[in-house]
Amino acid sequence: MSVILYVAFVLATGGERIFELVVSKRNAAAAFARGGIEYGQRHFPWMVALHTGLLLSCIAEVVLLQRPFIPWLGWPMLVIAIACQAARYWIIASLGTQWNTRVIVVPGAGRVADRGLYRWFSHPNYVIVAVEGIALPLVHTAWITAIAFTVLNAVLLLGFRIPTENRALRQL
């Protein structure tokens, strides 16, 4: 029964990501209409693949390797994973129409640094993604997925995404 509930939770997380993509697409269109310039197009497909792979790997590892639900680990990780969703929506609300899954800079838009988690972190969304990439798999003991995602995410974020975003933001 716990496997079915876990798979449903991961699928719901995937549904939430699809909703985010709809919001992102709308915000991207508005940004481009205001003269937005996109950066980092070459690494974006890798990000999509990694995040899709996280969700699929969570399910595959739990089902194929028969990972157990361990209450002392699973319940706290579930709370953290849900908290990550709340934090993600706080980030989206803080950025408003400037939020996007891509790196798009609108000339003259200004950098958000005085709202939400942006008051304390330069890149709070990436902190949330890193935490979620550990918590979501560990809800049902998918430790291989947690490790693999964490390593690959660190390479992608530190090697490509954050430097690209920092260069783009300097254009503001």
Side-chain angles (χ1 to χ4, degrees):
M1 180 57 137
S2 67
V3 172
I4 293 169
L5 292 173
Y6 179 70
V7 168
F9 181 63
V10 172
L11 291 175
T13 302
E16 188 276 329
R17 293 300 184 278
I18 291 169
F19 172 74
E20 284 181 12
L21 289 174
V22 170
V23 172
S24 177
K25 186 172 181 157
R26 183 186 68 221
N27 289 348
F32 288 133
R34 294 189 322 269
I37 301 164
E38 184 174 1
Y39 297 82
Q41 298 96 322
R42 289 178 51 201
H43 75 259
F44 186 71
W46 294 102
M47 289 191 66
V48 172
L50 180 62
H51 286 261
T52 303
L54 169 65
L55 299 175
L56 295 175
S57 294
C58 282
I59 293 170
E61 183 174 348
V62 167
V63 171
L64 297 176
L65 299 180
Q66 300 178 349
R67 298 288 191 223
F69 177 79
I70 301 172
W72 65 262
L73 176 65
W75 289 118
M77 291 299 113
L78 179 63
V79 169
I80 292 169
I82 291 169
C84 286
Q85 296 304 315
R88 185 184 311 282
Y89 280 105
W90 189 14
I91 288 165
I92 292 170
S94 297
L95 292 178
T97 59
Q98 286 182 269
W99 179 83
N100 206 296
T101 57
R102 298 179 174 271
V103 179
I104 303 172
V105 174
V106 177
R111 183 175 185 167
V112 174
D114 60 345
R115 292 191 301 267
L117 293 171
Y118 289 90
R119 290 178 282 200
W120 303 291
F121 298 103
S122 294
H123 300 284
N125 192 57
Y126 303 137
V127 173
I128 299 304
V129 167
V131 171
E132 182 184 46
I134 296 167
L136 183 63
L138 291 181
V139 168
H140 217 286
T141 324
W143 61 270
I144 295 171
T145 299
I147 292 170
F149 178 83
T150 299
V151 169
L152 293 172
N153 188 51
V155 168
L156 191 55
L157 286 179
L158 299 174
F160 300 94
R161 181 62 173 220
I162 291 174
T164 297
E165 193 167 306
N166 285 339
R167 280 191 302 277
L169 289 171
R170 281 194 292 271
Q171 303 305 311
L172 294 173

